[in-house]
Amino acid sequence: MRDRLYSTPALIIRRSDVGEADRLLTIYTPQLGKLTVAARGVRKTSSKLAGHLELFVHTQLQLARGRSLDVVTESRVSDHFATLRSDLDRISVAYYVAELLDKMTPEQSDNSALFRLTRDVLAAIDRESTTARRDVVLRFFELHLLSLSGYRPHFFHCAVCERELDQSADRFSPAAGGVVCANCVARVTGTLPLSLSAFKLLRYLLRGGIDDALALNVSPELAQEAGFILRVALKQVLERELKSVEFLNLLRG
Amino acid sequence: MAIGYEHVTAEPVARLIDEFNRLPGIGPKSASRLAFYLLRAKPEQAQRLAAAIIEMKEKTVLCSRCFNITVEDPCVICRNPGRQVQQLCVVEEPLDVVALERTGEYKGLYHVLHGAISPVEGINPEDLKIRELMDRLKVEPVEEVIISTNPNLEGDATAAYLAREIIPLGVRVTRLARGLPMGSDLEYADEVTLGRALQGRRDM
Ligand SMILES: [Zn+2]
Ligand SMILES: [Zn+2]
């Protein structure tokens, strides 16, 4: 028989109220992927757990196996990301990150790289003090989330003929899932223009780690252009808009 | 094939179970227990319950000023000339007004938002009574807005958003002190803790 209790690192990416004072938590873990678990009585002010199960915390959870849902018995927060939760712009970005991860991943499919990516991205959002730098972090997240979920966009080889791309490439095809070369452009419809700087930025972000991304100085306009391309690519995969985008756009005006 | 209760339960009973099941905090088991209790209860009891539900729906409205639930519009608090119109306390739910009134510490007026900003649930500022709050601030002599949203991320996000909108109007914005445990709901706070949080509020 399996142990009744188990322990796992987790990121809390979503929560909703159920019953008198309980909550359902959607957590992302390295070994078990995305899980829905129950936290009992945490809306009461007497709850010792409540403060340790806030949205976006990185925590070490102890869970008891339940018949339908596992139940949180202990939470030891590793990272509370205090700056993140005191700033409206950062909060809106974190909501977007959490919703993207939630919508892109199925339940119980382990992906420890995705766990590390999200943890590092939340830490960077917490740490980075300018909107411009946090936008580069977002682009890095969108790109690597696509990659790690099996939708790595084609930025090095033509999405149609697979020939190696050079600097003359200037169209992105959401349907083909990447950049198309000059020869193939006529064969695909609905392509989007892509500037050489955005092309170079996306290639650089896809090849490097988060520290490489943060070493860059990216203009807001360029981050926005790259963001537009990635949003379209994500929409192609998700087949819908994300709810948190509205709030993000509202704040950015 | 397993036989579910819907096959052996008379349709009207199943329908009531279904309706109970939709209520917050009530699962399928509690829903069946309530329905079977009423099935065995005296007809008068069932009628009283049905009448109370209908009367509540027919006789209550939202106060056109503070959006609290009321029988008469404006509500008793808004109509009370003894309340201080310079202070406006912003809460998420009507139940929070009840909790704050219990403390006996607060003599100002209220504004009920009917929720908190939650981008993932699709709840944005436009879905709350925020425009109505801004309209009030333009015409009422409010000097301080006390933001009493829940001490969790949604409550903090809502408070930060409101502060951003209100401070430029030259109105003082304060937030309840951090005596309340993070992650909890305001409606569960005891009077003493809540009263202390109210006294220790700080500027945003
Ligand atoms: Zn090609
Ligand atoms: Zn009123």
Side-chain angles (χ1 to χ4, degrees):
Chain A
M1 213 182 102
R2 297 182 305 171
D3 283 342
R4 204 180 75 85
L5 289 173
Y6 66 98
S7 177
T8 175
L11 295 165
I12 298 176
I13 60 169
R14 186 169 185 170
R15 58 166 164 53
S16 56
D17 294 349
V18 285
E20 270 283 303
D22 304 342
R23 282 207 173 106
L24 287 183
L25 306 176
T26 304
I27 60 174
Y28 203 87
T29 66
Q31 262 83 53
L32 306 158
K34 187 172 76 176
L35 290 178
T36 304
V37 299
R40 305 244 182 263
V42 287
R43 280 148 63 209
K44 293 197 178 132
T45 44
S46 56
S47 169
K48 299 263 180 293
L49 266 178
H52 307 276
L53 295 175
E54 260 299 320
L55 263 181
F56 313 141
V57 296
H58 169 214
T59 180
Q60 184 72 28
L61 290 183
Q62 192 186 59
L63 295 128
R65 291 185 207 281
R67 226 175 320 157
S68 54
L69 291 175
D70 295 350
V71 179
V72 179
T73 54
E74 208 182 290
S75 172
R76 244 177 297 160
V77 175
S78 323
D79 259 307
H80 193 253
F81 305 129
T83 315
L84 184 156
R85 60 193 70 245
S86 65
D87 175 71
L88 200 54
D89 184 79
R90 285 179 169 97
I91 291 176
S92 70
V93 169
Y95 266 118
Y96 174 71
V97 166
E99 189 183 9
L100 254 190
L101 178 67
D102 187 19
K103 296 281 158 65
M104 284 289 288
T105 52
E107 288 242 338
Q108 293 180 27
S109 132
D110 69 303
N111 194 331
S112 57
L114 213 42
F115 174 85
R116 284 195 304 275
L117 170 71
T118 312
R119 183 199 59 199
D120 293 350
V121 160
L122 285 174
I125 294 166
D126 185 64
R127 195 177 54 231
E128 294 303 327
S129 56
T130 66
T131 321
R133 286 176 69 80
R134 294 197 293 270
D135 276 355
V136 177
V137 174
L138 258 192
R139 298 297 87 84
F140 179 82
F141 179 70
E142 291 164 331
L143 202 48
H144 286 271
L145 176 64
L146 277 167
S147 284
L148 292 170
S149 313
Y151 301 97
R152 186 184 169 94
H154 302 273
F155 283 121
F156 297 98
H157 296 91
C158 170
V160 177
C161 72
E162 295 183 354
R163 220 170 315 189
E164 195 168 342
L165 293 165
D166 59 30
Q167 304 206 341
S168 68
D170 63 356
R171 306 296 293 185
F172 181 87
S173 163
V179 175
V180 284
C181 74
N183 295 327
C184 296
V185 145
R187 289 200 281 147
V188 278
T189 52
T191 61
L192 302 164
L194 181 70
S195 73
L196 181 57
S197 348
F199 181 45
K200 282 182 171 171
L201 171 67
L202 290 164
R203 283 163 69 112
Y204 177 84
L205 290 179
L206 193 54
R207 228 176 347 210
I210 194 162
D211 292 333
D212 302 311
L214 284 165
L216 285 179
N217 232 328
V218 181
S219 73
E221 294 74 30
L222 183 54
Q224 202 172 11
E225 189 196 342
F228 175 73
I229 295 286
L230 291 172
R231 295 269 163 93
V232 176
L234 283 163
K235 204 181 153 187
Q236 184 77 25
V237 175
L238 291 167
E239 298 177 331
R240 61 187 152 175
E241 289 284 2
L242 291 177
K243 286 181 177 161
S244 56
V245 171
E246 198 182 328
F247 190 56
L248 195 63
N249 290 342
L250 177 81
L251 293 185
R252 298 292 170 90
Chain B
M1 195 184 83
I3 295 173
Y5 73 84
E6 62 269 34
H7 298 282
V8 292
T9 308
E11 198 272 339
V13 181
R15 223 174 74 203
L16 184 61
I17 293 174
D18 217 47
E19 288 301 328
F20 277 134
N21 202 2
R22 284 169 210 264
L23 302 177
I26 299 193
K29 268 190 206 148
S30 307
S32 319
R33 216 177 309 132
L34 290 172
F36 281 104
Y37 169 82
L38 286 170
L39 189 65
R40 283 188 293 264
K42 290 205 176 86
E44 303 84 72
Q45 190 180 358
Q47 260 148 20
R48 275 204 309 275
L49 175 67
I53 293 171
I54 289 163
E55 194 173 301
M56 176 192 77
K57 288 309 281 182
E58 282 176 351
K59 293 199 174 159
T60 58
V61 290
L62 294 185
C63 172
S64 57
R65 188 175 179 189
C66 72
F67 298 93
N68 197 0
I69 293 161
T70 179
V71 177
E72 267 180 90
D73 181 22
C75 72
V76 279
I77 296 175
C78 288
R79 267 186 288 134
N80 182 348
R83 309 284 307 205
Q84 290 158 6
V85 294
Q86 297 84 0
Q87 282 190 331
L88 190 60
C89 183
V90 178
V91 296
E92 291 181 19
E93 301 294 342
L95 271 173
D96 301 332
V97 174
V98 178
L100 282 156
E101 282 298 289
R102 257 196 332 245
T103 67
E105 290 282 339
Y106 182 66
K107 303 284 177 252
L109 297 177
Y110 291 96
H111 189 88
V112 184
L113 295 173
H114 291 273
I117 295 173
S118 180
V120 197
E121 314 298 327
I123 303 171
N124 288 301
E126 73 213 41
D127 303 307
L128 307 170
K129 303 286 181 199
I130 291 179
R131 201 174 356 100
E132 290 82 351
L133 171 64
M134 301 310 289
D135 289 344
R136 280 184 78 177
L137 294 177
K138 280 180 205 136
V139 295
E140 292 184 28
V142 180
E143 288 167 12
E144 180 188 0
V145 172
I146 304 165
I147 301 178
S148 311
T149 48
N150 284 334
N152 55 33
L153 194 76
E154 290 84 354
D156 284 349
T158 309
Y161 181 80
L162 289 176
R164 202 183 78 152
E165 298 291 304
I166 297 170
I167 289 170
L169 303 177
V171 178
R172 185 178 172 208
V173 180
T174 55
R175 178 103 168 92
L176 286 196
R178 272 270 170 268
L180 301 165
M182 192 72 187
S184 61
D185 271 10
L186 210 62
E187 56 167 292
Y188 292 109
D190 67 272
E191 295 95 78
V192 179
T193 310
L194 198 50
R196 215 176 282 145
L198 200 52
Q199 285 167 347
R201 64 187 186 274
R202 46 174 179 68
D203 285 283
M204 284 194 75

